[in-house]
Amino acid sequence: ADAAGAVIRRYWRAPVDVESKHEPGRPVAESPVTIADREAEAAMRQRILARYPSHGVYGEELGQWQTEAEFVWVLDPIDGTKSFITGKPLFGTLIALLRHGRPVLGVVDQCVLGERWVGANGETRLNGARVRCRGAARLADSMLYATTPHMFAPGVEERRFARLRDRVKRPLYGCDCYAYALLASGFVDLVVEADLGVYDYCALVPVVTCAGGRMSDWNGQELTLATAKDCNARVVAAATESLWAEALSILSGSPWRMPFERLPARLGPAVTFVLGAACGAALTLVAARRRP
């Protein structure tokens, strides 16, 4: 983190060329990348591989190396590059250490503000001081963060997030990884996101869970390297168990509902009417057959 921070601060609020990465199929297909992203990741990789040559590395900008190893480092040099290039200090460097694919250590480092969260061994510390999640027990009382409402794909994701958003006290946007760090420090109740990469969330898992929070995919499944494809890049983090469970009840969706969620929204009322009428007719038929 120190090595990455030294690189990032050199480019902070300085003229820097911004390239575009295009990833078709994602809700937000274009994302920016700078020399600061690449040099910061290179600095971290160099130090990791020099000290731990048997470890693997999974980086956002420079690819994967030995990801089948027992220990794998997952790196996102600047999570929140859009904030970085617009001079907003709400980005962070994310560092995770995975053992057998499970995050066991997580770091969120904000090198401009001088804040570093470290989650490991059952506790999370901010600049050495222990922090804990604390927050609302119900959606109706909660503060919800997501980086942007545009990260939810049209259809199922968009509708489920909208239902959740309409149940919370206040929805807010724009913090990237910093929202999860604030959740671990007791200032945010809930973070719900989609369209994430492994490097976007692995470091956040120990930071949140070691502070007493819950973090999983939208079906309540553990976030690991092995489950990355199953989670569909959708995550939820909550300060309390009850809030996490209530959020999952909306985000997971029941099996019978899922096929109908993929229908255009304008067909929703019509489908509901038809299903209601069909159920009513079936019940009437059953009742008639039971009469002597």
Side-chain angles (χ1 to χ4, degrees):
D2 288 340
V7 171
I8 292 166
R9 284 191 296 273
R10 289 205 308 268
Y11 295 104
W12 171 241
R13 290 183 178 170
V16 62
D17 291 334
V18 180
E19 301 174 26
S20 290
K21 295 187 296 184
H22 293 276
E23 300 174 84
R26 297 183 62 181
V28 182
E30 185 273 338
S31 60
V33 62
T34 71
I35 189 173
D37 295 84
R38 295 192 178 109
E39 288 189 2
E41 183 173 323
M44 291 189 286
R45 293 173 79 105
Q46 181 181 14
R47 283 157 179 77
I48 289 169
L49 295 177
R51 185 165 182 179
Y52 306 108
S54 64
H55 289 196
V57 179
Y58 191 126
E60 178 178 13
E61 307 303 339
L62 302 179
Q64 304 172 29
W65 168 257
Q66 295 185 164
T67 54
E68 73 286 351
E70 177 182 357
F71 292 98
V72 175
W73 297 84
V74 180
L75 309 174
D76 189 346
I78 302 180
D79 181 74
T81 302
K82 293 174 186 176
S83 290
F84 173 76
I85 63 178
T86 55
K88 184 169 69 174
L90 295 182
F91 61 90
T93 297
L94 300 182
I95 304 170
L97 176 61
L98 278 55
R99 186 178 188 190
H100 300 304
R102 286 182 166 79
V104 295
L105 178 147
V107 177
V108 178
D109 188 70
Q110 215 308 317
C111 63
V112 175
L113 299 178
E115 297 176 323
R116 180 177 297 171
W117 286 262
V118 179
N121 300 320
E123 63 179 30
T124 297
R125 293 183 177 270
L126 167 59
N127 293 348
R130 192 171 182 181
V131 294
R132 294 288 294 174
C133 296
R134 62 180 186 275
R138 305 183 309 143
L139 285 175
D141 300 321
S142 67
M143 306 276 278
L144 163 70
Y145 260 105
T147 296
T148 171
H150 303 298
M151 71 193 323
F152 303 98
V156 175
E157 282 185 2
E158 192 175 54
R159 285 195 284 273
R160 290 184 190 176
F161 177 74
R163 283 200 295 271
L164 182 73
R165 179 201 61 212
D166 293 344
R167 296 276 298 276
V168 304
K169 187 174 185 178
R170 293 188 186 94
L172 303 115
Y173 302 99
C175 270
D176 294 288
C177 63
Y178 202 73
Y180 297 84
L182 292 176
L183 187 148
S185 290
F187 296 106
V188 171
D189 302 307
L190 185 65
V191 184
V192 173
E193 299 197 300
D195 194 33
L196 300 184
V198 170
Y199 39 77
D200 291 316
Y201 60 74
C202 274
L204 305 174
V205 174
V207 170
V208 169
T209 58
C210 291
R214 289 298 305 265
M215 188 166 175
S216 69
D217 72 4
W218 284 15
N219 292 314
Q221 183 173 236
E222 182 183 7
L223 294 167
T224 70
L225 200 57
T227 62
K229 291 183 179 179
D230 295 335
C231 82
N232 294 313
R234 304 166 182 162
V235 306
V236 52
T240 63
E241 180 81 17
S242 58
L243 186 60
W244 173 75
E246 190 178 358
L248 284 184
S249 71
I250 295 172
L251 295 171
S252 62
S254 60
W256 66 265
R257 184 196 299 160
M258 291 174 65
F260 300 104
E261 285 184 308
R262 295 184 174 88
L263 293 170
R266 66 180 182 276
L267 295 181
V271 171
T272 301
F273 174 80
V274 171
L275 287 175
C279 289
L283 289 172
T284 301
L285 180 61
V286 169
R289 285 182 176 177
R290 287 182 176 177
R291 287 178 190 145

